[in-house]
Amino acid sequence: MNPSSFIGKPRRKGSTQRTNLSIATWEGVPAIILQTLLGGPFLTGFLLYLGAGSRHIGFVLAITTFVNIAQIGAAYWMQRIRSRKRALLLFVGGHRILWSATGLIPFIFPKEWWVSVFIGLYTIAFICNTIGGMIWTSLIGDIVPAKVRGRYFGIRNTILNALGSVCLFGGGILLDRYPGETGFLILFIPVWICAIANTVIYFFYPDLPFERSTEKSFSRMFIKPFQDRVFLKATIFLAAWLLIQTLIVPLYSYVMLDLLNVSYQMVSLITVVQTLVMMGGFYIWGNLNARYSNKTLLFWTLPVIALSCLSWGLMSFAPVLVALFLSHIFLGIGVGGFNQLAFNFTIGDTPKSERPMFIAVYSALTGVTSFIGPLIGGWLYEKMETLSEAMVWISTYGFQVMVGTVMLLLTFTLGRRVLLK
């Protein structure tokens, strides 16, 4: 057959879908590199280098979720935009550029301004990110067909986290070899490259038609998620759960680096193991999602996360590194599944036309509690550090065990009723 006979023919839907899924996967490559080198133990390490204390670190870790409140206004504003793609480029690009710009702080500002300027830039960056993230969630929900959603995100997350684990390990070796200013400068070079590359790839995203809300007024649109009792009960429970979880889990790196004096390289290796386990978890949770509901699987991620906190108690009679590796293995299985299934819950168990507001309400409620948790956790660690050396076990593993016990009790009481029944 003459190849010229195909000229002018419309592209097959299946082929277009595969191309869009490929773009969405490739977009994640520079994004995961940037997020890995700027987040996790490297974020904590950079803040310690800038002179931040436990309260500052708790606030920075919390602000990323608190700004999710902005999604409520953004969900209403989204009904009036003509192009989700252009809005996505504006806000996600702003986030990438502002966050990566924090690496210039030690070279531009006096030392006494470092922490304050970082918090300012970081806050603005994540306001952009929360709006861009909601637009991306709405758009990706239309790009990925519902029947392959669980499996696709399982495979995508596995690939990206494999890359992230390499970056984690390499970054840890780098900071151990070049501590302080030199190490962080080298670390930020690939970050700046990836910030630009990630923004450019968004130009290739499809600008799919947007199914708008059936409601015109803000009040009627806002109340829709609160009228869905099943969605609301699950969201309130998950928000309460995250309040307890974020008392300690976001501060794992702080405890390892500052209280247990674990090296950057070892913290990176522990986090790599967590990421590798998470990769396998993504694939398994994704396949299970084809057979079981989002809420049922969400329930079973909770006791695994609780076991991550309880594992710190092994330090009372076992080597510290044994407890840390085991804790992060449970964390990789649990949190990886939780994040993936919570995402599928917001885009799969909600009405398509009202999805932005459902996503916004979920993000706002869980964001407020995830903001409060690390703040309280950081404040409690500050108080615990003033205790005598005889009571140092409380801050190194006792607090984690107490939080894990509460999480386990909450799971098999209220969680069972809300998510399984």
Side-chain angles (χ1 to χ4, degrees):
M1 185 178 289
N2 188 350
S4 62
S5 63
F6 289 100
I7 297 175
K9 286 190 176 183
R11 201 171 188 181
R12 290 184 299 127
K13 183 179 179 182
S15 176
T16 303
Q17 278 184 348
R18 284 194 295 272
T19 300
N20 292 340
L21 294 178
S22 178
I23 292 169
T25 302
W26 278 107
E27 172 270 314
V29 171
I32 196 68
I33 296 173
L34 180 143
Q35 290 164 12
T36 300
L37 297 180
L38 289 183
F42 303 127
L43 173 60
T44 304
F46 189 56
L47 284 167
L48 290 171
Y49 164 69
L50 294 178
S54 60
R55 279 194 184 184
H56 295 119
I57 293 170
F59 177 81
V60 168
L61 295 174
I63 196 64
T64 57
T65 51
F66 180 73
V67 294
N68 284 341
I69 294 174
Q71 289 193 4
I72 292 176
Y76 180 68
W77 167 75
M78 266 187 69
Q79 308 301 318
R80 282 145 181 76
I81 62 175
R82 294 186 177 183
S83 169
R84 283 184 290 180
K85 179 179 174 178
R86 284 199 294 268
L88 183 67
L89 276 164
L90 174 65
F91 287 103
V92 174
H95 166 258
R96 305 301 194 249
I97 292 167
L98 287 170
W99 194 11
S100 61
T102 59
L104 299 173
I105 290 173
F107 306 100
I108 297 176
F109 298 97
K111 190 169 184 176
E112 60 269 20
W113 291 11
W114 286 2
V115 175
S116 298
V117 173
F118 180 92
I119 290 174
L121 278 175
Y122 190 84
T123 302
I124 297 169
F126 275 86
I127 290 173
C128 291
N129 185 62
T130 195
I131 297 172
M134 190 194 64
I135 298 169
W136 182 83
T137 303
S138 169
L139 186 57
I140 202 71
D142 292 339
I143 290 173
V144 184
K147 63 181 179 180
V148 300
R149 194 170 286 151
R151 187 161 296 171
Y152 168 76
F153 284 113
I155 295 171
R156 180 181 187 268
N157 291 337
T158 301
I159 294 170
L160 296 182
N161 278 274
L163 177 60
S165 65
V166 174
C167 295
L168 268 171
F169 190 65
I173 294 173
L174 172 68
L175 289 181
D176 272 342
R177 185 168 297 178
Y178 303 102
E181 181 180 303
T182 303
F184 283 112
L185 175 60
I186 298 171
L187 197 72
F188 270 91
I189 291 173
V191 165
W192 294 324
I193 295 170
C194 288
I196 296 170
N198 191 212
T199 305
V200 168
I201 295 176
Y202 277 112
F203 280 96
F204 296 92
Y205 258 62
D207 201 2
L208 300 179
F210 178 38
E211 185 175 330
R212 303 180 191 278
S213 172
T214 56
E215 305 294 345
K216 300 300 180 184
S217 70
F218 173 80
S219 58
R220 292 179 65 86
M221 193 183 301
F222 176 68
I223 205 171
K224 275 287 182 75
F226 295 93
Q227 293 174 333
D228 188 326
R229 290 178 59 83
V230 175
F231 169 83
L232 187 62
K233 284 168 65 178
T235 298
I236 291 174
F237 169 76
L238 293 175
W241 168 270
L242 286 170
L243 173 64
I244 299 169
Q245 176 184 311
T246 53
L247 287 172
I248 175 60
V249 171
L251 295 163
Y252 274 9
S253 294
Y254 168 74
V255 176
M256 289 188 289
L257 289 169
D258 202 53
L259 301 184
L260 296 174
N261 295 314
V262 180
S263 69
Y264 279 111
Q265 186 172 344
M266 184 55 68
V267 171
S268 297
L269 180 60
I270 292 169
T271 312
V272 166
V273 171
Q274 174 191 328
T275 306
L276 291 173
V277 172
M278 190 183 296
M279 286 161 47
F282 282 141
Y283 184 76
I284 293 169
W285 290 116
N287 283 330
L288 288 173
N289 206 190
R291 298 174 56 193
Y292 302 102
S293 72
N294 293 316
K295 290 201 300 176
T296 297
L297 294 177
L298 261 174
F299 172 82
W300 288 110
T301 65
L302 305 185
V304 181
I305 299 171
L307 286 174
S308 170
C309 295
L310 291 170
S311 297
W312 286 70
L314 294 173
M315 291 183 194
S316 60
F317 60 87
V320 169
L321 290 180
V322 171
L324 293 178
F325 273 107
L326 188 60
S327 172
H328 283 76
I329 287 170
F330 283 127
L331 189 67
I333 298 169
V335 170
F338 181 93
N339 292 339
Q340 181 170 303
L341 292 160
F343 176 80
N344 290 344
F345 168 68
T346 57
I347 68 172
D349 295 0
T350 55
K352 186 177 179 181
S353 62
E354 310 301 329
R355 187 176 293 156
M357 188 57 77
F358 273 77
I359 294 170
V361 168
Y362 173 86
S363 298
L365 291 176
T366 56
V368 168
T369 56
S370 297
F371 171 75
I372 296 171
L375 285 182
I376 297 174
W379 177 79
L380 287 173
Y381 270 112
E382 192 174 81
K383 295 299 180 184
M384 286 185 283
E385 286 175 40
T386 63
L387 296 173
S388 65
E389 289 187 9
M391 300 290 287
V392 74
W393 66 271
I394 294 177
S395 58
T396 52
Y397 65 84
F399 182 47
Q400 292 88 317
V401 172
M402 287 186 283
V403 170
T405 302
V406 173
M407 292 165 73
L408 211 56
L409 290 172
L410 185 64
T411 297
F412 289 104
T413 52
L414 190 58
R416 186 181 181 88
R417 292 174 57 189
V418 171
L419 297 177
L420 294 187
K421 295 183 180 180

